[in-house]
Amino acid sequence: MYKLLHELQVELGERSYPIIIGKGMLGEFDLSGYVGGSQVMIVTNDVVAPMYLEKAKASFPGKTIDALVLPDGEKHKDWQTLNLIFDALLENQHTRKTTLVALGGGVIGDMTGFAAACYQRGVPFIQIPTTLLSQVDSSVGGKTGINHPLGKNMVGAFHQPEVVLIDTDSLQTLPPREVSAGLAEVIKYGLIRDTAFLDWLEQAMGQLVAFDSEALGEAIFRSCACKADVVGQDERESGIRATLNLGHTFGHAIETFAGYGNWLHGEAVGTGMIMAADLSLREGSINRADYDRVVRIVLKAGLPSQPPEQMTPADFMSLMAVDKKNVDGKLRLVLLKAVGEAEVTSEASPENLKATLNAFCYQDN
Amino acid sequence: MYKLLHELQVELGERSYPIIIGKGMLGEFDLSGYVGGSQVMIVTNDVVAPMYLEKAKASFPGKTIDALVLPDGEKHKDWQTLNLIFDALLENQHTRKTTLVALGGGVIGDMTGFAAACYQRGVPFIQIPTTLLSQVDSSVGGKTGINHPLGKNMVGAFHQPEVVLIDTDSLQTLPPREVSAGLAEVIKYGLIRDTAFLDWLEQAMGQLVAFDSEALGEAIFRSCACKADVVGQDERESGIRATLNLGHTFGHAIETFAGYGNWLHGEAVGTGMIMAADLSLREGSINRADYDRVVRIVLKAGLPSQPPEQMTPADFMSLMAVDKKNVDGKLRLVLLKAVGEAEVTSEASPENLKATLNAFCYQDN
């Protein structure tokens, strides 16, 4: 029998949906009430399928279930793989009343959500995220999409799920590196808006990296609550939602430079948050002790603190210029005003930015 | 100097937008007030570009304008061509404040609109439809998308434009066959909801097929007003909007069978409307005189009245089963309750449907 740990509601008017967090949920918790029609298509990957696909099917009693198993990995978050979802839907004659189910990490969630946004101009979908990163980040807020050779997540849609089901048991099979990557986003919530949560994380980090179920459940709940609160205020990222991108502009540049999939997203965000903190320090927004606190918690989570050795300041500048957070040519960055408070600004001094890049890159231009 | 003929508003709450109809508009009428940022990307095709691209550019004074010329034709309404738009946007560092402009017929409008819906999860776009079909149909209502080998428009989004600019002068360069195809949708509006408009069309059809500017302007305005009214009541096609699909289920089957682009969409809809009228007659909803009236006006517009010679009833059945208007396996059709009134039904008798298919197909199963 499952054990329900937490439940919260993402408030988005008629697009509101619940996030259900528990232990032993998969296959035990009945999701069929969230399926409007009779058809379900579960999309997963070849790593997750052997462990969880049959269990996931058991969560939809009474429905006609098809399943599609995609190759695992960020490098498959592309048109070709997305099209396999449309092929499967059409070959199995799924109508516009079908429900798609994303069973896997962020790549599966983003692609399946985008497929749901586009199939016959939009069908419902359900998220069952199985990695820490996807549980605390990509399953909340409705951002979906795929990568383009010239930039990450450049093609996509906002499309909210009907429900998100998080089973903490699925974390027990994750490699430690992926848990660390997920913790980068967890730390981010503390840094941008919740000092009390950051205090708790500094205490609990040892348990978190040791896969302690209870600690992980609490971290997921508080992260989702942070993100749900932000997204509820600003679904389309016209304002406060952009602060969720702390570390992401530097991080995306690192991911693109390294080639998708070589650095995990969370690893790049970990280093990116340290770089953003460094720039915040140079801008005079935070002090040295704040900066050290950021570095310490990122390192304690087992995350890297420097970009790839071959990467130059010029690489950063060129890769950040096409980052989608830029508006009309100005480089927008999320910086810390304090530990627990972030701001979006296009006004960071170019000299300070250059100094940060020089300090973090092994190579000159 | 341009001459403004008509202006109407599509009422969709915060997504409302105007349709501006006139003579000599392109290059003369200033659209820059509808562009939020500084960047514009005009997407057009290799038939339209030589005639209208430079003029279109002149409608955006003060903006940074890029242009992309795609190959012409329905067969290019696919992933590969759509990706060329994303490539061009990223190569030219277009940000999320860019505006896309669709200059061309329905294929350009649907693809450019879908690219706008997906680029960086959604950017604004403007429609400048240059064919009669796109002016009276696809430029109103926000349906965007691409084809899949297993079905037309199977992948897409609802995405409303900022403004639609219709220049009746652009019709003067159209082949007669394309004007006829556009008239199929014009006739449709009369058949489903506006008997007075149908009366007028029966009088004016001779002028319309002779490219009379004033008659065409009037037909466009009344068609757009019909469609804007329907879409305003039901943006996401949960109810009345589905009546706009009169003739389309049969028509899509014809288009798919013939191979995209061999039959024009409007030609297939013309034949499809006659088949729908035939089924309505067999169902006892309309009488023989009504049916004859439908056949007469479709023929007068220069449209075909029978499906391709090689097409069998079995072809129809198999191609209609995956049509996206079906909900949970039931074949939904738009039928006439009277001339000027349509209904969506899943209750048509299978025997009558079979009789209609047998009557229209040259071949048996």
Side-chain angles (χ1 to χ4, degrees):
Chain A
M1 198 48 201
Y2 62 83
K3 183 180 173 198
L4 190 68
L5 297 174
H6 299 282
E7 183 165 351
L8 71 152
Q9 184 79 0
V10 183
E11 296 293 351
L12 292 166
E14 59 180 24
R15 289 184 301 284
S16 297
Y17 61 91
I19 300 176
I20 300 164
I21 303 168
K23 211 175 135 46
M25 305 297 274
L26 211 56
E28 298 288 333
F29 190 82
D30 184 349
L31 286 168
S32 58
Y34 293 96
V35 174
S38 60
Q39 295 175 304
V40 168
M41 171 70 76
I42 301 177
V43 181
T44 186
N45 69 37
D46 50 18
V47 171
V48 173
M51 294 185 281
Y52 301 119
L53 178 55
E54 288 312 309
K55 277 192 173 181
K57 286 182 179 175
S59 277
F60 299 94
K63 302 296 177 183
T64 307
I65 303 170
D66 290 304
L68 175 66
V69 180
L70 300 174
D72 178 44
E74 179 89 21
K75 68 175 178 291
H76 297 291
K77 192 173 156 182
D78 58 13
W79 285 121
Q80 287 73 27
T81 313
L82 179 72
N83 260 318
L84 297 177
I85 304 178
F86 299 128
D87 292 347
L89 288 166
L90 285 162
E91 280 158 13
N92 293 284
Q93 304 210 337
H94 280 251
T95 69
R96 58 200 292 182
K97 286 275 183 189
T98 190
T99 296
L100 271 62
V101 176
L103 173 71
V107 171
I108 286 293
D110 284 7
M111 277 204 297
T112 306
F114 187 40
C118 297
Y119 185 62
Q120 304 209 17
R121 297 196 193 93
V123 298
F125 84 115
I126 289 172
Q127 291 266 27
I128 307 179
T130 57
T131 65
L132 181 59
L133 179 62
S134 60
Q135 289 172 352
V136 299
D137 179 33
S138 51
S139 68
V140 188
K143 282 192 179 178
T144 70
I146 55 172
N147 296 328
H148 183 281
L150 294 177
K152 262 180 74 82
N153 295 318
M154 281 293 147
V155 175
F158 286 92
H159 193 55
Q160 305 297 340
E162 303 298 304
V163 60
V164 177
L165 180 71
I166 295 177
D167 188 340
T168 55
D169 281 356
S170 64
L171 299 176
Q172 299 304 320
T173 51
L174 277 189
R177 194 180 158 195
E178 286 205 31
V179 171
S180 292
L183 289 171
E185 301 283 351
V186 172
I187 292 165
K188 182 192 74 181
Y189 296 115
L191 288 177
I192 64 172
R193 58 186 284 113
D194 195 340
T195 321
F197 185 33
L198 195 72
D199 294 342
W200 180 83
L201 283 172
E202 287 171 330
Q203 299 300 317
M205 193 53 78
Q207 295 158 269
L208 291 169
V209 294
F211 290 77
D212 181 282
S213 254
E214 201 172 316
L216 286 168
E218 180 72 15
I220 293 164
F221 172 64
R222 292 177 77 162
S223 296
C224 287
C226 274
K227 182 152 186 188
D229 184 41
V230 171
V231 169
Q233 290 176 56
D234 177 24
E235 186 180 1
R236 303 296 298 234
E237 196 168 321
S238 45
I240 187 180
R241 182 163 181 173
T243 61
L244 295 176
N245 293 317
L246 177 70
H248 283 60
T249 301
F250 294 112
H252 279 166
I254 292 172
E255 278 185 279
T256 307
F257 180 86
Y260 295 146
N262 294 320
W263 274 54
L264 296 177
H265 175 69
E267 292 172 333
V269 168
T271 298
M273 288 193 297
I274 294 179
M275 294 177 75
D278 180 89
L279 181 51
S280 307
L281 173 61
R282 290 175 200 273
E283 290 276 308
S285 308
I286 62 170
N287 60 33
R288 169 62 59 177
D290 294 331
Y291 173 74
D292 289 344
R293 197 173 169 196
V294 175
V295 176
R296 236 180 355 252
I297 187 125
V298 169
L299 289 174
K300 207 168 173 187
L303 293 161
S305 60
Q306 279 203 279
E309 251 183 66
Q310 298 74 19
M311 203 169 172
T312 66
D315 292 328
F316 269 102
M317 290 307 290
S318 121
L319 289 166
M320 293 193 301
V322 296
D323 186 280
K324 66 184 174 303
K325 279 95 205 174
N326 300 317
V327 172
D328 274 332
K330 280 202 166 183
L331 183 59
R332 288 173 81 217
L333 286 167
V334 185
L335 297 181
L336 293 177
K337 291 175 77 172
V339 164
E341 192 182 354
E343 64 171 345
V344 182
T345 177
S346 312
E347 305 304 325
S349 119
E351 291 69 31
N352 283 336
L353 176 59
K354 210 165 160 30
T356 293
L357 296 179
N358 285 333
F360 278 80
C361 292
Y362 296 84
Q363 315 280 331
D364 285 342
N365 277 325
Chain B
M1 198 46 202
Y2 64 82
K3 185 181 173 197
L4 189 68
L5 296 174
H6 298 282
E7 183 166 350
L8 71 150
Q9 184 78 1
V10 184
E11 296 293 351
L12 292 167
E14 59 180 23
R15 291 183 300 283
S16 297
Y17 62 92
I19 300 175
I20 300 163
I21 304 167
K23 214 177 130 47
M25 305 296 275
L26 212 54
E28 298 288 334
F29 189 82
D30 184 349
L31 286 168
S32 57
Y34 293 97
V35 175
S38 61
Q39 294 175 305
V40 168
M41 170 70 76
I42 301 177
V43 181
T44 186
N45 68 37
D46 51 15
V47 172
V48 173
M51 294 186 281
Y52 301 120
L53 178 55
E54 288 311 310
K55 276 191 174 184
K57 286 182 179 176
S59 275
F60 299 94
K63 301 295 176 183
T64 306
I65 302 169
D66 289 303
L68 175 66
V69 180
L70 299 174
D72 178 44
E74 179 89 21
K75 69 175 178 291
H76 298 291
K77 191 173 157 181
D78 58 13
W79 285 120
Q80 287 73 27
T81 313
L82 179 72
N83 260 318
L84 297 176
I85 305 179
F86 298 128
D87 293 345
L89 287 165
L90 285 163
E91 280 158 12
N92 293 283
Q93 305 210 337
H94 281 249
T95 70
R96 58 200 295 183
K97 287 277 183 185
T98 190
T99 296
L100 271 63
V101 176
L103 174 70
V107 172
I108 286 293
D110 284 7
M111 276 204 297
T112 307
F114 187 40
C118 298
Y119 185 62
Q120 305 208 14
R121 300 199 190 90
V123 299
F125 84 114
I126 290 172
Q127 291 266 27
I128 307 179
T130 57
T131 66
L132 182 57
L133 178 63
S134 59
Q135 288 171 353
V136 300
D137 179 33
S138 52
S139 69
V140 188
K143 281 192 181 180
T144 70
I146 56 172
N147 297 328
H148 183 280
L150 294 177
K152 262 179 74 82
N153 295 319
M154 281 292 147
V155 176
F158 286 92
H159 193 56
Q160 306 296 340
E162 302 300 303
V163 59
V164 178
L165 181 71
I166 295 177
D167 188 340
T168 56
D169 281 357
S170 63
L171 300 175
Q172 300 304 321
T173 51
L174 277 189
R177 192 180 159 196
E178 287 206 29
V179 171
S180 292
L183 289 171
E185 300 283 351
V186 173
I187 292 165
K188 181 191 74 180
Y189 296 114
L191 289 177
I192 63 171
R193 58 186 286 114
D194 193 340
T195 321
F197 184 34
L198 195 71
D199 294 342
W200 179 83
L201 282 172
E202 288 171 329
Q203 300 301 317
M205 194 52 79
Q207 295 157 268
L208 291 169
V209 295
F211 289 77
D212 181 283
S213 255
E214 202 173 316
L216 286 168
E218 180 72 14
I220 293 164
F221 171 65
R222 291 177 76 162
S223 296
C224 287
C226 274
K227 182 152 187 190
D229 184 39
V230 171
V231 169
Q233 290 177 56
D234 176 24
E235 184 180 4
R236 304 294 300 234
E237 196 168 323
S238 45
I240 187 180
R241 182 163 181 173
T243 61
L244 295 175
N245 293 316
L246 178 69
H248 282 61
T249 301
F250 296 112
H252 280 165
I254 292 173
E255 278 185 279
T256 307
F257 181 86
Y260 296 147
N262 293 320
W263 274 54
L264 296 177
H265 174 71
E267 292 173 332
V269 168
T271 298
M273 289 193 296
I274 293 178
M275 294 177 74
D278 181 89
L279 181 52
S280 306
L281 174 60
R282 289 176 201 271
E283 291 277 308
S285 309
I286 62 171
N287 61 33
R288 170 63 60 177
D290 293 331
Y291 172 74
D292 289 344
R293 199 175 166 194
V294 176
V295 175
R296 237 178 357 253
I297 187 124
V298 169
L299 289 174
K300 210 169 172 185
L303 292 161
S305 60
Q306 280 202 283
E309 251 182 66
Q310 300 73 17
M311 204 170 171
T312 66
D315 292 328
F316 269 102
M317 289 307 289
S318 120
L319 290 166
M320 292 193 301
V322 296
D323 186 280
K324 69 182 169 303
K325 279 95 204 171
N326 300 317
V327 172
D328 274 332
K330 280 202 166 184
L331 183 59
R332 287 173 82 218
L333 287 166
V334 185
L335 297 181
L336 292 176
K337 292 176 77 170
V339 165
E341 192 182 352
E343 64 170 346
V344 182
T345 175
S346 312
E347 305 304 323
S349 117
E351 291 71 29
N352 284 336
L353 175 59
K354 209 164 162 30
T356 293
L357 296 179
N358 285 332
F360 278 79
C361 291
Y362 295 83
Q363 315 281 333
D364 285 343
N365 278 326

